[in-house]
Amino acid sequence: MSAASSRRAAKEASATPQANVIVAVLAIGGIVVSLMQSLVIPLIPELPELLSASPADTAWAVTSTLLAGAVATPVVGRLGDMHGKRRMLLVSLALLVAGSVVCGLSNSLAPMIIGRVLQGLSAGAVSLGISIMRDELPAERLPGATALMSASLGIGGALGLPAAALIADHFDWHVLFWTSAVLGVLSIALVVTIVPESEVRTGGRFDLVGAAGLSAGLICLLLAVSKGADWGWSSASTLALFAAAAVVLLLWGRFELRVSAPLVDLRTTARRQVLFTNLASVAIGFSMFALSLVMPQLLQLPEQTGYGMGKDLLTVGLTMAPMGLVMMATAPLSARVTKARGPKVTLMIGALVVAVGYGIGIVLMSAIWQLVVVGCIVGAGMGLAYGAMPALIMGAVPVSETAAANSLNTLMRSLGTSFSSAVVGVVLAQMTTDFAGHALPSENGFRTVLAIGAGAAALCCALAAFLPGQQGRTVPMRTPAKPSESTKTTS
């Protein structure tokens, strides 16, 4: 072995422990941010009494977070490319802490919504973490690391529910938010200590008009989707919001194609690999969330219905937790398949596994162990699919656009979950059975939702089939940015 080869091997060996620590810190940050989404679920039935407000008003504690996350994710990603991904990750975590503190101090609706908006603004942390990994890790570590980071979206949600239920049952409800604040502070300290700032920057001027246009379009769309069931799908408010979303997003797209430094490079987004990956992300996000909506209801409905199990929220959380753990455990397998066959194959296999899990769920939904098995199968498929998406995105975009492209992909998954919530709500509201004078979702309604979830996963697989065939690693190795695209700064 030559002296140069020996020095290179020694350098790579010494970098491995540091790379492991960086991956762990970023994954912890992603899980902490995703915990925020499930944190308030145990409180939803009690929020009207706790905040002295109507159920329709307290629902904004969930809706506001969804809207804030949709707006923040692409904006933070673009700012990360321009001014530093680590810097924007720290800003995101700081917003999480601030929002948690505001919620922890709140006893009325207004400060609770403000706090939840601040928490929602941290949603871009996962895509920023994936982008940091591309800049800082050796190429051979990227598939496994990004798979774990991508899966943290589901891991945090699945693990957060039992933890939140346990805290809500035994402590004052404010403790939920103080716990979130402490975890956020810990994540900030770890990022400051461990994670380096990348020198890859695009510079330039931020597209304020594009950010405002995209934000307005997304808010109109997600408001219509999330509130359509309450307001009525044919109501003037819902239809007006859908129409406004269509007009605003069309005008926004036209503007983005003309501006020199757009918030979202639509020409890059239109590339086959990016376009079909994002479309597949909507489908797989839809599929994943369908199970998250079905399982809690099946577990909590009265046993007297013949298909409900009459369990408490803690049991619900413990039943769903294995799905998140399996997602995490599947991340290394996703990386190995990607290295051997390419991320396209990994995504297709993951989607097929999810579809099989839903198919089994249509038959096995009468006992806790059956739901655990279904959740684990779906979780395994999600781990494979979620792990492949960053590799597909980063294999098709320049290094200077990594954070923006990953953020858009994360947004597509979030749109899928929003559409899933709306569709599942409509199905279960239409397919009901009478129980003691109350209309409850019927067993066939749940089976229909599971069938729709399987169909969404199959659609994801079909969309992935249109991706270009690739073998082995598709994420380019880190290369120095051109002088016009990079500035060296001291963090």
Side-chain angles (χ1 to χ4, degrees):
M1 181 182 293
S2 68
S5 299
S6 299
R7 286 194 298 269
R8 184 167 58 251
K11 182 179 179 180
E12 292 177 354
S14 64
T16 299
Q18 178 69 9
N20 291 337
V21 175
I22 290 174
V23 171
V25 168
L26 293 174
I28 289 171
I31 292 172
V32 169
V33 169
S34 61
L35 283 172
M36 169 269 302
Q37 299 177 357
S38 59
L39 192 67
V40 77
I41 290 178
L43 298 178
I44 289 176
E46 302 176 21
L47 280 178
E49 180 181 352
L50 294 173
L51 301 177
S52 302
S54 68
D57 290 337
T58 56
W60 285 100
V62 176
T63 305
S64 61
T65 307
L66 169 70
L67 297 177
V71 169
T73 299
V75 171
V76 168
R78 178 61 178 155
L79 288 172
D81 283 332
M82 293 175 63
H83 303 298
K85 304 173 186 72
R86 173 180 176 267
R87 180 174 297 165
M88 295 312 301
L89 175 59
L90 290 171
V91 169
S92 297
L93 292 172
L95 289 169
L96 173 68
V97 172
S100 300
V101 170
V102 171
C103 291
L105 294 171
S106 66
N107 288 297
S108 59
L109 183 62
M112 171 64 80
I113 291 177
I114 292 172
R116 291 290 289 167
V117 167
L118 290 172
Q119 286 187 317
L121 293 175
S122 68
V126 173
S127 53
L128 288 169
I130 292 172
S131 303
I132 291 171
M133 288 175 177
R134 185 186 193 183
D135 291 345
E136 302 301 330
L137 299 183
E140 65 274 7
R141 290 297 316 279
L142 275 176
T146 56
L148 177 62
M149 191 71 194
S150 185
S152 68
L153 285 167
I155 296 168
L159 299 183
L161 187 57
L166 185 64
I167 293 173
D169 284 346
H170 294 87
F171 302 96
D172 179 79
W173 65 275
H174 293 90
V175 174
L176 286 170
F177 297 102
W178 290 117
T179 302
S180 175
V182 170
L183 292 174
V185 170
L186 175 62
S187 295
I188 289 173
L190 290 173
V191 171
V192 169
T193 305
I194 303 296
V195 179
E197 180 63 275
S198 170
E199 296 180 352
V200 179
R201 310 283 179 85
T202 61
R205 180 178 298 176
F206 182 71
D207 179 15
L208 284 173
V209 176
L214 180 59
S215 299
L218 288 174
I219 288 174
C220 290
L221 176 62
L222 291 174
L223 265 180
V225 170
S226 61
K227 290 295 185 180
D230 295 332
W231 296 342
W233 292 106
S234 59
S235 69
S237 299
T238 303
L239 295 177
L241 283 170
F242 275 126
V247 171
V248 170
L249 291 175
L250 284 173
L251 291 175
W252 169 79
R254 184 178 180 182
F255 175 82
E256 291 295 276
L257 288 172
R258 295 184 175 186
V259 70
S260 58
L263 177 74
V264 177
D265 188 339
L266 294 180
R267 291 181 177 84
T268 299
T269 304
R271 293 175 185 170
R272 184 170 60 148
Q273 184 162 323
V274 179
L275 175 62
F276 279 94
T277 300
N278 284 332
L279 292 175
S281 297
V282 175
I284 202 69
F286 183 107
S287 185
M288 183 191 78
F289 204 59
L291 186 63
S292 299
L293 294 169
V294 165
M295 284 179 64
Q297 295 191 64
L298 277 173
L299 287 162
Q300 291 182 287
L301 283 174
E303 292 183 82
Q304 292 82 353
T305 60
Y307 52 90
M309 302 179 197
K311 304 301 180 182
D312 59 18
L313 191 61
L314 179 58
T315 303
V316 172
L318 292 174
T319 303
M320 296 181 68
M323 182 169 68
L325 295 174
V326 170
M327 283 185 69
M328 181 168 58
T330 311
L333 175 61
S334 177
R336 285 197 290 270
V337 176
T338 294
K339 287 180 179 179
R341 302 300 301 274
K344 171 184 174 178
V345 173
T346 310
L347 177 56
M348 294 180 69
I349 292 173
L352 287 175
V353 171
V354 172
V356 169
Y358 273 105
I360 293 173
I362 294 173
V363 179
L364 299 180
M365 52 179 284
S366 59
I368 289 180
W369 72 267
Q370 294 176 352
L371 293 180
V372 171
V373 169
V374 171
C376 287
I377 295 172
V378 172
M382 288 296 173
L384 289 167
Y386 272 32
M389 289 173 185
L392 285 164
I393 292 294
M394 292 189 293
V397 302
V399 174
S400 59
E401 297 178 19
T402 300
N406 277 318
S407 295
L408 183 63
N409 183 250
T410 301
L411 175 61
M412 293 300 105
R413 283 184 259 178
S414 297
L415 289 177
T417 62
S418 300
F419 296 146
S420 179
S421 179
V423 171
V424 171
V426 169
V427 171
L428 295 183
Q430 295 298 318
M431 303 182 69
T432 61
T433 184
D434 182 76
F435 178 77
H438 298 282
L440 297 179
S442 67
E443 187 174 17
N444 284 334
F446 288 119
R447 289 200 169 100
T448 300
V449 170
L450 293 174
I452 293 172
L459 175 61
C460 174
C461 184
L463 290 167
F466 287 95
L467 291 166
Q470 296 169 323
Q471 295 293 328
R473 177 179 56 79
T474 61
V475 180
M477 294 181 65
R478 288 178 291 134
T479 56
K482 296 178 182 179
S484 61
E485 297 176 345
S486 174
T487 58
K488 293 186 177 182
T489 61
T490 302
S491 299

